[in-house]
Every structure is written in structure tokens, then in C-alpha cells.
Amino acid sequence: MTLLDVGGLTVTGRHLIVDGVDLNVSRGETVGLVGESGSGKSLTARAVAGLLPKGLTATGSVTLSGRELLGARERLLRSVRGSQVALLMQDPFAMLNPLRTAGAHVAESLPRLPRAARRAEVLRRLAEVGIADPSVAGRHPFQLSGGMRQRVALAAALARDPELLIADEPTTALDATTQHEILMLLRGVQRARGMGVLLITHDLRVAFELCDRVSVMYAGRIVESGPGSGVAGAPAHPYTSGLLAALPSVTVTLPRLEAVPGSVPHAEDVTDVCAFAARCGQAEPECGQARPPLRELSPGRRTACLYEVRPRPRTAPPALAPDAAPAGGTLLRVEELRKEYGGHVALGGVSLDVGAGESVGVVGESGSGKTTLARCVLGLATPDGGRVELAGLDVTPGARAARREGAHRLVQCVFQDPSTSLNPALTVGAMLAEAAAQGRAEGRPSVAELLDLVGLPTAYASRRPRALSGGERQRVAIARALAVRPALLICDEPTASLDVSVQAHVLELLRTIRRELGTALLFITHDLAVVRQIADRTMVLFRGEVVESGETARVLDAPAHDYTRRLLASVPPTP
């Protein structure tokens, strides 16, 4: 029985954003809506929930249990939200009030009950999402891990027993094991309640593992839809095929990470043509002359491509041996590094080394100590013990300032979210010129050279960060880090929030930089498929201690520690 029926949904503001979307969700069914950033996925979800930002309007039809929601009065929409449709966001901080406890978030959505009964019901709701510890109800969001916050947000969203849950990128920022736990939790709750779920995600592995049906969205339109297994096994649109080809493998090191060229166009610029034609390697002249309809291939299987898509090879590509690290001795040496925060051991005597030109991966769950390790190496945190050497110099935070003189020219960092590390008031050119001025005068790169190094046009020098896509901002962040020609580049989850195609671009760029400049990499990630493609050696951290290390292929193919095996078991299968 159809629960949600969306027909001809169009969202406009100053520009056309969503262009005639049709989709439906039945009771007890999970439907995935996938595509790159800018495709219109999240605004489609917000239009369904009646939560479009100010200045945007929606037309078409959105019916929930037969009731039309588009154009309905706000009073009706308020009564529907929570009780019939609930929204679970990517970042639980966007849903949770930092001043309220976890229990209070759940309690505010419950009907009026006596205090004791309400307390019992809050604990029951938290237990439903896997929080068995009653003390969590009294904690504030900042006292909880990312996975725990997401569980609290889910409990609050489900507190009024909605018929439909819209989950917008609910696992994007989580590590593999926590992601797996949240996905299995969603599946269990949905089955127990018979609830419909609309899952918005750019993670194809997640979509194909969890969803009964998948719709692929591009430039405001649905370009392919069908059962998850059918779409994954035999994509009928070249865009879907391109996204699948860009997925990194956890089992083999790919010779090249194939990204979809270009970027998603604005919906209003491609209303009368195939929106994907400019990026499609199979495009014919007809593709630029008319808009292809979403035609039915078989019952429940549709595509907006005029031609039969050439299938991807189903055999695994040949394994690629990682680049051999050039001989040059040890560049970074960390010995018995220890760090505590309020009695919590973040690092319990960690040692590692990175050779000149080598790439070393550090993997582990959130809270394992990965970022604390990077901060200590960068001098952003002072360890409680141990030693950090760069090119034979003692640069341990807390050592004499003279010893750290010029250390910034030896090591630079690329962070997960470039929007927090780029100055929004400066142009790209100004930021790169400022960074280059910190390096040695001889051989100082120009702004044009830095942009060319990361594959961006020279014209981007006049743009500000807000005018760039997420992938373009990350390229600028990499260019800025390379401006002083560092010997070591620390990458702290640099692709965690990127679309699969943009991720492939960035990883291939880092491979090229390492190969052409000889820059060593210390690559921190929770994504084992990513570390497989980028690292010669991998170190596994668990609760601040190294539990396994060695050549990446050996660690991932024949893990010796139970924790490593658990991490690998949490990775959704590659379609």
C-alpha cells in the first residue's frame, strides 16, 4: 500500500532546483534517493516534509496516506510533522539543542504522562535505538559520541510514532562500525514498526545495502529507478554507471580511480536536453536536442537514457602494487606518544614512522585517537609524553620554539571540512599567495602554478570559497597546503564528506602529487576502501593504542587482530 506519493514535484527559488520529480514509498519499504551534491535530493526531502527554506516554493503533488500536503496550511503541516512524517538529519547537532539533555529531547515529543511514566517511556524509547544505559538520558549532546547523538536524534524523531521517516544522510559523518550499527538499527526499527523510510544519501554502498528500491537523481530530475539489486547489478543510465565505477574497492588497489568528469549543472540550464550529456562518454547528437523521458524498461525499472548503457566490466581489475617509497630515510618519527584529556587516554604510547615520499594510513573508529595523533604532530596539541621528530629535528610540542622554527615548511595539513579552514572573506588567489609567502623565497610557486597543480582553472583565483563546490574547496585547501612545498602532508579525513565521484578526483590528485612532487602522506581515515587506494602501510588504532600495522594489503586481506576484522566486517559490500 502506497504511503507517500510524490508527483511532478518542482522546487523553485531564484532558479529552478527540482524539476518534475515522481517517487513513492510504500508502508514497510525503504526507498533510496541517491546522487551527487547539487542534485536536489535534500530539497526534495524538505519539500515532502513542508520544511523548505524561505524563498523557495514547491508545486506538484505530495500526498501522505492520501492527504495532500503541498499547499496545505501550516497548522495542518505542524500536526503531520512528527506524528505522520519525521525527519532525521545528517548532523544530529542540527536537531539537538545543546542546552537540553538526551531524555528531554525525547520527552518533548511524547504525550502528556505522569512524571514516572514519562521517565519510563523515555528510557524505553532510548532502548529501542540501542541505548540501554539509563544515565544517557541525563547527558547533554556534547557529552555523547557522534553515533550516540545520532541514536538520540532517531529516538526523538520516532517518539510520536511517524508513518514515514525521512533520513537525510544519517550516516555520512560516522565511522564504518558506527555507520553499520545505525543502518542495522534503522532496518530493525522499520521492520518492527512497518514504517516507510525515504533514505537520502550519496553513499551508494549504503543505499544498495539498505534500500528495497533506489531512485538516482541528477540536476533536479530522476534519471533512473528500480530495485536496488537491479540498479546496482545492471545500471541503465550512464550517470549511475559512472557513480558505481568511482567507488573505491576495499579488496584491490585500483590502477586508476575513475571519476565522473565535470560537475552537476543547474537544473534550469538543462531543461530541454539530457542533463548528463555534457559529462557522458556515450553521448550522441540527439542527447543535446531534446529532454529524454523517464521510460520504462520493465515493471518497476525506468531510465531517462535514450540508448542502452554499455555494461561495466564485472570482473575485478588487476591489483595494483602501491608505489614504492623512494629511498630517503625516515621523515617523520613518533615515539611513545601519550595524551590524556580529563583522565581519558586518547593516546597510550603510540609510535609510528613515515619515510620520505611514503604514504601511511591511520584507521580506526571515532575516538580511537587518530585526530589527536595528527594534532600532536602538527603542534596543535601538547602530548603528555613521547617525542615527535621531523627530518631529524625534535618538533615535539612544548619543545623550545627554536627547534620548531620552520617546521610549518616541513609539514602541512588538509582537514575534513575545507569550509572551516578557508577564509570566506578572501579570494582563492589571495589565500594561495598568502600561503606561498610563508615558504622559502627560492622556487616559490605562483598562484597559477598552484591552481594548475590541483587541476583548477586560473580564473578560480578571483573566486571566494562560497562560489566553489565541496570538491573544488578541497582542491584549494590542498593547493594552499602545498604552497610551501612541504615534505609531509597530513590528510585528516579529507574525503569523508565528499560525493563518491569527487572523492575519486581528490584521491587521484593526492596520488599524483605524491608521485610527481615526492610528498609523503600521513592519511587519517575511517574508510578502509579509501586507505586501500592511498596507503603503502596502514596502522590500526583502537582506544589510543596501535593494535595492528603493516603493508596495507596484508592488513586488509589477512587481518591479525579481532578489531581489524570487525572494521572490515562493517564495510557495506561494493555493488
PDB file of all heavy atoms in Angstrom, residues 100-120:
ATOM      1  N   ARG A 100      19.784  21.060  26.217  1.00  0.00           N
ATOM      2  CA  ARG A 100      18.819  20.093  26.722  1.00  0.00           C
ATOM      3  C   ARG A 100      19.438  18.702  26.765  1.00  0.00           C
ATOM      4  O   ARG A 100      20.284  18.362  25.948  1.00  0.00           O
ATOM      5  CB  ARG A 100      17.565  20.082  25.849  1.00  0.00           C
ATOM      6  CG  ARG A 100      16.958  21.455  25.611  1.00  0.00           C
ATOM      7  CD  ARG A 100      15.548  21.350  25.121  1.00  0.00           C
ATOM      8  NE  ARG A 100      14.647  20.902  26.184  1.00  0.00           N
ATOM      9  CZ  ARG A 100      13.341  20.680  26.008  1.00  0.00           C
ATOM     10  NH1 ARG A 100      12.814  20.826  24.810  1.00  0.00           N
ATOM     11  NH2 ARG A 100      12.582  20.289  27.005  1.00  0.00           N
ATOM     12  N   THR A 101      19.002  17.903  27.696  1.00  0.00           N
ATOM     13  CA  THR A 101      19.517  16.541  27.831  1.00  0.00           C
ATOM     14  C   THR A 101      18.910  15.637  26.753  1.00  0.00           C
ATOM     15  O   THR A 101      17.909  15.981  26.113  1.00  0.00           O
ATOM     16  CB  THR A 101      19.183  15.954  29.204  1.00  0.00           C
ATOM     17  OG1 THR A 101      17.756  15.841  29.326  1.00  0.00           O
ATOM     18  CG2 THR A 101      19.754  16.815  30.316  1.00  0.00           C
ATOM     19  N   ALA A 102      19.536  14.467  26.589  1.00  0.00           N
ATOM     20  CA  ALA A 102      19.022  13.498  25.629  1.00  0.00           C
ATOM     21  C   ALA A 102      17.592  13.102  25.969  1.00  0.00           C
ATOM     22  O   ALA A 102      16.726  13.013  25.095  1.00  0.00           O
ATOM     23  CB  ALA A 102      19.935  12.270  25.619  1.00  0.00           C
ATOM     24  N   GLY A 103      17.339  12.871  27.256  1.00  0.00           N
ATOM     25  CA  GLY A 103      15.993  12.490  27.662  1.00  0.00           C
ATOM     26  C   GLY A 103      14.965  13.568  27.383  1.00  0.00           C
ATOM     27  O   GLY A 103      13.826  13.276  26.997  1.00  0.00           O
ATOM     28  N   ALA A 104      15.355  14.828  27.563  1.00  0.00           N
ATOM     29  CA  ALA A 104      14.426  15.931  27.317  1.00  0.00           C
ATOM     30  C   ALA A 104      14.040  16.023  25.849  1.00  0.00           C
ATOM     31  O   ALA A 104      12.901  16.370  25.517  1.00  0.00           O
ATOM     32  CB  ALA A 104      15.052  17.243  27.787  1.00  0.00           C
ATOM     33  N   HIS A 105      14.981  15.697  24.962  1.00  0.00           N
ATOM     34  CA  HIS A 105      14.665  15.733  23.527  1.00  0.00           C
ATOM     35  C   HIS A 105      13.594  14.704  23.178  1.00  0.00           C
ATOM     36  O   HIS A 105      12.708  14.961  22.353  1.00  0.00           O
ATOM     37  CB  HIS A 105      15.926  15.470  22.705  1.00  0.00           C
ATOM     38  CG  HIS A 105      16.832  16.649  22.595  1.00  0.00           C
ATOM     39  ND1 HIS A 105      17.897  16.831  23.443  1.00  0.00           N
ATOM     40  CD2 HIS A 105      16.838  17.704  21.750  1.00  0.00           C
ATOM     41  CE1 HIS A 105      18.520  17.956  23.131  1.00  0.00           C
ATOM     42  NE2 HIS A 105      17.900  18.502  22.106  1.00  0.00           N
ATOM     43  N   VAL A 106      13.696  13.538  23.786  1.00  0.00           N
ATOM     44  CA  VAL A 106      12.703  12.504  23.523  1.00  0.00           C
ATOM     45  C   VAL A 106      11.381  12.849  24.202  1.00  0.00           C
ATOM     46  O   VAL A 106      10.296  12.711  23.611  1.00  0.00           O
ATOM     47  CB  VAL A 106      13.209  11.126  24.008  1.00  0.00           C
ATOM     48  CG1 VAL A 106      12.156  10.047  23.786  1.00  0.00           C
ATOM     49  CG2 VAL A 106      14.506  10.762  23.293  1.00  0.00           C
ATOM     50  N   ALA A 107      11.447  13.340  25.424  1.00  0.00           N
ATOM     51  CA  ALA A 107      10.244  13.603  26.215  1.00  0.00           C
ATOM     52  C   ALA A 107       9.361  14.674  25.592  1.00  0.00           C
ATOM     53  O   ALA A 107       8.126  14.597  25.699  1.00  0.00           O
ATOM     54  CB  ALA A 107      10.643  14.007  27.635  1.00  0.00           C
ATOM     55  N   GLU A 108       9.963  15.683  24.942  1.00  0.00           N
ATOM     56  CA  GLU A 108       9.154  16.782  24.422  1.00  0.00           C
ATOM     57  C   GLU A 108       8.205  16.352  23.308  1.00  0.00           C
ATOM     58  O   GLU A 108       7.243  17.058  22.997  1.00  0.00           O
ATOM     59  CB  GLU A 108      10.041  17.923  23.934  1.00  0.00           C
ATOM     60  CG  GLU A 108      10.873  17.618  22.718  1.00  0.00           C
ATOM     61  CD  GLU A 108      11.755  18.786  22.316  1.00  0.00           C
ATOM     62  OE1 GLU A 108      11.539  19.893  22.857  1.00  0.00           O
ATOM     63  OE2 GLU A 108      12.643  18.601  21.469  1.00  0.00           O
ATOM     64  N   SER A 109       8.474  15.187  22.679  1.00  0.00           N
ATOM     65  CA  SER A 109       7.595  14.709  21.619  1.00  0.00           C
ATOM     66  C   SER A 109       6.565  13.702  22.111  1.00  0.00           C
ATOM     67  O   SER A 109       5.706  13.267  21.344  1.00  0.00           O
ATOM     68  CB  SER A 109       8.428  14.062  20.502  1.00  0.00           C
ATOM     69  OG  SER A 109       9.283  15.003  19.903  1.00  0.00           O
ATOM     70  N   LEU A 110       6.651  13.313  23.379  1.00  0.00           N
ATOM     71  CA  LEU A 110       5.719  12.326  23.927  1.00  0.00           C
ATOM     72  C   LEU A 110       4.436  12.998  24.397  1.00  0.00           C
ATOM     73  O   LEU A 110       4.420  14.193  24.724  1.00  0.00           O
ATOM     74  CB  LEU A 110       6.372  11.596  25.104  1.00  0.00           C
ATOM     75  CG  LEU A 110       7.604  10.740  24.783  1.00  0.00           C
ATOM     76  CD1 LEU A 110       8.226  10.223  26.086  1.00  0.00           C
ATOM     77  CD2 LEU A 110       7.233   9.583  23.866  1.00  0.00           C
ATOM     78  N   PRO A 111       3.325  12.241  24.450  1.00  0.00           N
ATOM     79  CA  PRO A 111       2.089  12.812  25.026  1.00  0.00           C
ATOM     80  C   PRO A 111       2.266  13.068  26.512  1.00  0.00           C
ATOM     81  O   PRO A 111       3.211  12.586  27.140  1.00  0.00           O
ATOM     82  CB  PRO A 111       1.058  11.716  24.756  1.00  0.00           C
ATOM     83  CG  PRO A 111       1.853  10.458  24.643  1.00  0.00           C
ATOM     84  CD  PRO A 111       3.159  10.861  24.013  1.00  0.00           C
ATOM     85  N   ARG A 112       1.342  13.854  27.065  1.00  0.00           N
ATOM     86  CA  ARG A 112       1.422  14.159  28.499  1.00  0.00           C
ATOM     87  C   ARG A 112       1.235  12.876  29.321  1.00  0.00           C
ATOM     88  O   ARG A 112       0.288  12.131  29.129  1.00  0.00           O
ATOM     89  CB  ARG A 112       0.346  15.175  28.886  1.00  0.00           C
ATOM     90  CG  ARG A 112       0.591  16.563  28.296  1.00  0.00           C
ATOM     91  CD  ARG A 112      -0.440  17.549  28.796  1.00  0.00           C
ATOM     92  NE  ARG A 112      -0.200  18.883  28.275  1.00  0.00           N
ATOM     93  CZ  ARG A 112       0.641  19.745  28.815  1.00  0.00           C
ATOM     94  NH1 ARG A 112       1.314  19.417  29.902  1.00  0.00           N
ATOM     95  NH2 ARG A 112       0.797  20.943  28.289  1.00  0.00           N
ATOM     96  N   LEU A 113       2.184  12.650  30.228  1.00  0.00           N
ATOM     97  CA  LEU A 113       2.158  11.477  31.087  1.00  0.00           C
ATOM     98  C   LEU A 113       2.609  11.885  32.488  1.00  0.00           C
ATOM     99  O   LEU A 113       3.326  12.888  32.648  1.00  0.00           O
ATOM    100  CB  LEU A 113       3.103  10.389  30.552  1.00  0.00           C
ATOM    101  CG  LEU A 113       2.770   9.732  29.213  1.00  0.00           C
ATOM    102  CD1 LEU A 113       3.973   8.908  28.727  1.00  0.00           C
ATOM    103  CD2 LEU A 113       1.544   8.842  29.346  1.00  0.00           C
ATOM    104  N   PRO A 114       2.226  11.138  33.514  1.00  0.00           N
ATOM    105  CA  PRO A 114       2.800  11.391  34.842  1.00  0.00           C
ATOM    106  C   PRO A 114       4.314  11.268  34.790  1.00  0.00           C
ATOM    107  O   PRO A 114       4.862  10.553  33.942  1.00  0.00           O
ATOM    108  CB  PRO A 114       2.170  10.280  35.709  1.00  0.00           C
ATOM    109  CG  PRO A 114       0.921   9.903  34.996  1.00  0.00           C
ATOM    110  CD  PRO A 114       1.205  10.083  33.538  1.00  0.00           C
ATOM    111  N   ARG A 115       4.992  11.949  35.697  1.00  0.00           N
ATOM    112  CA  ARG A 115       6.449  12.029  35.627  1.00  0.00           C
ATOM    113  C   ARG A 115       7.106  10.650  35.576  1.00  0.00           C
ATOM    114  O   ARG A 115       7.988  10.407  34.750  1.00  0.00           O
ATOM    115  CB  ARG A 115       6.973  12.815  36.836  1.00  0.00           C
ATOM    116  CG  ARG A 115       8.503  12.870  36.867  1.00  0.00           C
ATOM    117  CD  ARG A 115       9.011  13.718  38.007  1.00  0.00           C
ATOM    118  NE  ARG A 115       8.663  15.128  37.813  1.00  0.00           N
ATOM    119  CZ  ARG A 115       9.040  16.103  38.655  1.00  0.00           C
ATOM    120  NH1 ARG A 115       9.760  15.816  39.728  1.00  0.00           N
ATOM    121  NH2 ARG A 115       8.690  17.346  38.411  1.00  0.00           N
ATOM    122  N   ALA A 116       6.695   9.745  36.434  1.00  0.00           N
ATOM    123  CA  ALA A 116       7.325   8.419  36.463  1.00  0.00           C
ATOM    124  C   ALA A 116       7.092   7.662  35.161  1.00  0.00           C
ATOM    125  O   ALA A 116       7.993   7.002  34.632  1.00  0.00           O
ATOM    126  CB  ALA A 116       6.795   7.618  37.648  1.00  0.00           C
ATOM    127  N   ALA A 117       5.851   7.766  34.646  1.00  0.00           N
ATOM    128  CA  ALA A 117       5.525   7.078  33.394  1.00  0.00           C
ATOM    129  C   ALA A 117       6.298   7.683  32.227  1.00  0.00           C
ATOM    130  O   ALA A 117       6.763   6.965  31.322  1.00  0.00           O
ATOM    131  CB  ALA A 117       4.028   7.154  33.135  1.00  0.00           C
ATOM    132  N   ARG A 118       6.451   9.009  32.255  1.00  0.00           N
ATOM    133  CA  ARG A 118       7.203   9.664  31.182  1.00  0.00           C
ATOM    134  C   ARG A 118       8.669   9.248  31.221  1.00  0.00           C
ATOM    135  O   ARG A 118       9.267   8.968  30.172  1.00  0.00           O
ATOM    136  CB  ARG A 118       7.090  11.187  31.320  1.00  0.00           C
ATOM    137  CG  ARG A 118       7.918  11.968  30.304  1.00  0.00           C
ATOM    138  CD  ARG A 118       7.685  13.466  30.469  1.00  0.00           C
ATOM    139  NE  ARG A 118       6.381  13.830  29.960  1.00  0.00           N
ATOM    140  CZ  ARG A 118       6.162  14.636  28.920  1.00  0.00           C
ATOM    141  NH1 ARG A 118       7.182  15.155  28.280  1.00  0.00           N
ATOM    142  NH2 ARG A 118       4.958  14.929  28.514  1.00  0.00           N
ATOM    143  N   ARG A 119       9.244   9.181  32.406  1.00  0.00           N
ATOM    144  CA  ARG A 119      10.634   8.743  32.547  1.00  0.00           C
ATOM    145  C   ARG A 119      10.796   7.318  32.006  1.00  0.00           C
ATOM    146  O   ARG A 119      11.746   7.026  31.268  1.00  0.00           O
ATOM    147  CB  ARG A 119      11.022   8.799  34.026  1.00  0.00           C
ATOM    148  CG  ARG A 119      12.323   8.081  34.393  1.00  0.00           C
ATOM    149  CD  ARG A 119      13.543   8.810  33.940  1.00  0.00           C
ATOM    150  NE  ARG A 119      14.762   8.136  34.377  1.00  0.00           N
ATOM    151  CZ  ARG A 119      15.973   8.478  34.007  1.00  0.00           C
ATOM    152  NH1 ARG A 119      16.158   9.493  33.175  1.00  0.00           N
ATOM    153  NH2 ARG A 119      17.028   7.835  34.455  1.00  0.00           N
ATOM    154  N   ALA A 120       9.871   6.447  32.346  1.00  0.00           N
ATOM    155  CA  ALA A 120       9.944   5.071  31.870  1.00  0.00           C
ATOM    156  C   ALA A 120       9.812   5.001  30.355  1.00  0.00           C
ATOM    157  O   ALA A 120      10.495   4.203  29.691  1.00  0.00           O
ATOM    158  CB  ALA A 120       8.851   4.234  32.542  1.00  0.00           C
TER     159      ALA A 120
END
